[in-house]
């Protein structure tokens, strides 16, 4: 029996609960890459993995005790997605009301945001990191609930592809939380403002769209996919993960200490104009955004893992990454060209490929 009102407000309640856990649970204080108004590096309370674990335990207790059917979020998926969309729209308005104008058009300020690094609870929570955290945890809860629906529907013959998909996407979420501090060095954290794009993106899009593969197939029976397809899917996913995680870790290590070998073994090859440095070796010598290629491969591996390559739904996820990351690379390239000038030109000459070596 579905309860539309509860379904609609479920994400509001879940997000409030996760925010509460994040604020009260112990955390490590980590210096980020973004600069505050006084030119000092911002510090962040990082406890994503612990908040994730406690949230999962609460979900499991609710499931075992019978308070919440295991597939409750699946049953209420449309209501939940609608509630999260409305919440995203309203919070984006609130974020706009609380921050001074940037002078751009109303629509641009609403979409891209006004405040750069809003802090909550006297600095105990950073709005951007909270948005990513709550989105990641609700994505995992949706994932578990959607898989539960599949297993409950086909207890005798659940699809190995569905289980593999859940395992790989869980890897993706946990990987983000394990390396949460590395995310402090990514574009959205140090270069973007908090507006509809980030708020709605984290609250509505991330938890519901990223598991789009299961929206499409969780209610279908086992497709009987051959083992080689599942192996191929896993290899594609982990090849992508190696590129994305490797490139991010290499840049993170370089920004913290350019003179130190990566993983204590590989000297960092870089170019310099005497003032600034850019990596041009390792992952950053393969293409200028090989990390984006990694993300696209991971998404492709996920689509394949469901074992229904002719089904359209799972392919929406890699398609979304193409639409997101190709323009994002162009934006970042423009930003870096303006920031580094002639040094960026030299980097472009040394590493001519944008994302895919020898192709693009
Ligand atoms: P990058 O991690 O590629 O960061 C770009 C910034 O890194 C540039 O603006 C520049 O910043 C610096 N930089 C670029 N080239 C070099 C170089 N050669 N040497 C040193 N510094 C360089 O991009 P994003 O922040 O967009 O992405 C971060 C991660 O998040 C990626 O792995 C990406 O794939 C992932 N991601 C995941 C998404 C998802 O939904 N799963 C969505 C979007 C991204 P500066 O000079 O100011 O330091």
């Amino acid at each position: 029996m579905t309860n539309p009102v509860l379904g609609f407000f479920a994400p509001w309640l879940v997000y409030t609960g996760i925010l509460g856990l994040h604020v009260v649970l112990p955390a490590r204080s980590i210096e980020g890459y973004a600069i505050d108004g006084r030119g000092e590096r911002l510090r962040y309370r990082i406890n994503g993995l612990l908040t994730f674990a406690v949230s999962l335990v609460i979900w499991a207790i609710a499931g075992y005790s019978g308070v919440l059917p295991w597939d409750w979020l699946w049953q209420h998926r449309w209501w939940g997605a609608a509630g999260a969309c409305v919440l995203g729209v309203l919070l984006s308005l609130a974020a706009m009301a609380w921050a001074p104008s940037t002078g751009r058009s109303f629509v641009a300020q609403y979409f891209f945001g006004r405040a750069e690094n809003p802090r909550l609870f006297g600095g105990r929570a950073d709005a951007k990191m909270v948005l990513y955290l709550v989105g990641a945890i609700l994505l995992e809860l949706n994932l578990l609930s959607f898989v539960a629906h599949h297993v409950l529907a086909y207890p005798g013959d659940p699809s190995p592809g569905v289980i593999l998909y859940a395992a790989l996407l869980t890897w993706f979420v946990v990987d983000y939380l394990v390396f949460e501090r590395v995310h402090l060095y990514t574009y959205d954290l140090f270069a973007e403002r908090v507006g509809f794009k980030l708020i709605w993106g984290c609250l509505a899009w991330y938890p519901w769209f990223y598991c789009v593969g299961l929206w499409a197939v969780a209610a279908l029976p086992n497709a009987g996919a051959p083992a080689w397809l599942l192996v191929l899917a896993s290899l594609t996913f982990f090849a992508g993960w190696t590129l994305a995680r490797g490139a991010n870790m290499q840049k993170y290590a370089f920004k913290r200490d350019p003179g130190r070998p990566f993983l204590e073994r590989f000297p960092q090859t870089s170019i310099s104009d005497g003032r600034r440095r850019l990596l041009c070796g390792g992952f950053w010598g393969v293409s200028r955004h090989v990390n984006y290629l990694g993300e696209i491969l991971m998404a492709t591996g996920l689509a394949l893992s469901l074992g229904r390559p002719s089904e359209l739904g799972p392919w929406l996820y890699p398609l979304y990454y193409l639409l997101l990351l190709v323009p994002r690379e162009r934006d970042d390239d423009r930003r870096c060209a303006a920031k580094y000038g002639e040094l960026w030109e030299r980097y472009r000459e040394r590493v001519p490929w944008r994302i895919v070596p020898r192709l693009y």
Side-chain angles (χ1 to χ4, degrees), residues 33 187 210 248 255 292 295 328 332 335 339-340:
Y33 190 56
Y187 183 76
Y210 275 46
N248 286 337
K255 296 281 176 190
Y292 290 178
E295 299 283 347
R328 187 168 166 137
D332 195 51
R335 178 181 175 275
K339 177 175 174 182
Y340 292 103

Side-chain angles (χ1 to χ4, degrees), residues 33 172 183 185-188 190 210 244 248 251 254-255 277-280 284 288-289 291-292 295 317 320-321 324-325 328 332 335-336 339-340 344 347:
Y33 190 56
F172 170 88
H183 196 67
Y185 285 68
T186 59
Y187 183 76
D188 8 7
F190 65 78
Y210 275 46
N248 286 337
K251 177 157 71 83
F254 179 74
K255 296 281 176 190
R277 293 197 155 272
L278 284 170
L279 275 167
C280 62
W284 295 86
R288 299 202 298 275
H289 269 99
N291 47 354
Y292 290 178
E295 299 283 347
Y317 186 58
Y320 151 73
Y321 270 87
L324 173 79
L325 296 178
R328 187 168 166 137
D332 195 51
R335 178 181 175 275
C336 289
K339 177 175 174 182
Y340 292 103
W344 191 254
Y347 180 44

Side-chain angles (χ1 to χ4, degrees), residues 149-228:
H149 173 77
H150 177 78
V151 173
L152 292 170
Y154 305 101
D157 184 24
S159 160
V162 167
I163 310 295
L164 176 62
Y165 177 93
L168 296 180
L169 200 50
T170 298
W171 177 284
F172 170 88
V173 172
V174 172
D175 171 73
Y176 165 74
L177 295 169
V178 167
F179 296 104
E180 210 181 359
R181 68 187 188 287
V182 179
H183 196 67
L184 299 175
Y185 285 68
T186 59
Y187 183 76
D188 8 7
L189 260 288
F190 65 78
E192 295 195 324
R193 294 170 192 268
V194 179
F196 179 85
K197 184 177 170 215
L198 196 69
I199 297 174
W200 186 86
C202 285
L203 299 185
W205 186 255
Y206 187 21
W208 274 274
F209 179 77
Y210 275 46
C211 53
V212 66
L214 283 186
W215 281 79
V217 313
L220 301 177
N222 182 1
W228 66 261

